Amino acid sequence: MYDFKIEAADKATLYADLASAVEGLVSGESDAVANMANVTALIWETLPDLNWAGFYRNVGGELVVGPFQGRPACIRIAFGEGVCGAAAATLQVQRIEDVHAFPGHIACDSASNSEIVVPIVREGELLAVLDLDSPKQARFTEEDEAGLVRLCEIVAKAI
Ligand code: SME
């Protein structure tokens, strides 16, 4: 059994602990699906106020849903489409305070109000994106972005 209960007083500590736990979870395992599944479960258990957390993988230049927690989601997203597609096309983090104000946002769950999508890149190649949705407006701060970017650097070596 893996017991990675993370409780931290502040976000910097929370993300530092989360990064250590992710390092531990993926170390010695090369199966991408297994690692994405465990990372998703850990994020879901650790970060508050999420209604969806998971990966879209770059499959031949199209995003295809991967391991996730939350309600069933859109399966395929074209590069440039929605928040995930914007992250894939630009290789830039998309941190959206109000998804309803984002042109072309794809609503997989009507509960979502804010979203962050982090590209996962290895040697210049987009492997996947990490997508987190929240029912809270402006749920994701610069601190969340920094923590999640660090996390995705670890994930990039493990998928
Ligand atoms: N909202 C995303 C689609 C994926 S779901 O949120 C799980 C988007 O606009 O790309």
Side-chain angles (χ1 to χ4, degrees):
M1 185 185 83
Y2 295 100
D3 192 1
F4 283 109
K5 187 126 190 76
I6 298 168
E7 283 162 358
D10 58 86
K11 277 193 182 180
T13 314
L14 180 73
Y15 280 105
D17 291 353
L18 191 54
S20 304
V22 165
E23 292 263 21
L25 260 178
V26 303
S27 77
E29 180 51 66
S30 61
D31 187 274
V33 172
N35 286 336
M36 285 188 280
N38 262 340
V39 170
T40 307
L42 191 57
I43 289 172
W44 186 252
E45 287 231 318
T46 305
L47 299 182
D49 302 315
L50 301 182
N51 62 299
W52 203 89
F55 293 92
Y56 278 88
R57 299 158 300 127
N58 177 7
V59 181
E62 184 179 32
L63 294 175
V64 182
V65 77
F68 69 93
Q69 305 269 318
R71 301 184 76 180
C74 355
I75 298 169
R76 291 173 185 271
I77 298 176
F79 279 29
E81 213 179 77
V83 184
C84 291
T90 61
L91 301 183
Q92 301 293 316
V93 175
Q94 304 292 308
R95 186 162 57 86
I96 310 300
E97 296 196 341
D98 176 6
V99 294
H100 307 290
F102 186 94
H105 166 251
I106 303 162
C108 291
D109 182 344
S110 59
S112 300
N113 282 312
S114 62
E115 178 164 8
I116 188 165
V117 181
V118 181
I120 301 173
V121 178
R122 188 172 63 216
E123 289 164 15
E125 186 201 344
L126 181 78
L127 302 176
V129 299
L130 173 67
D131 179 17
L132 306 184
D133 285 34
S134 173
K136 279 181 81 173
Q137 293 269 351
R139 155 71 181 80
F140 304 102
T141 63
E142 281 180 19
E143 254 186 314
D144 289 292
E145 179 172 336
L148 292 167
V149 165
R150 170 77 194 108
L151 216 64
C152 286
E153 286 167 3
I154 300 166
V155 172
K157 291 182 243 150
I159 64 173

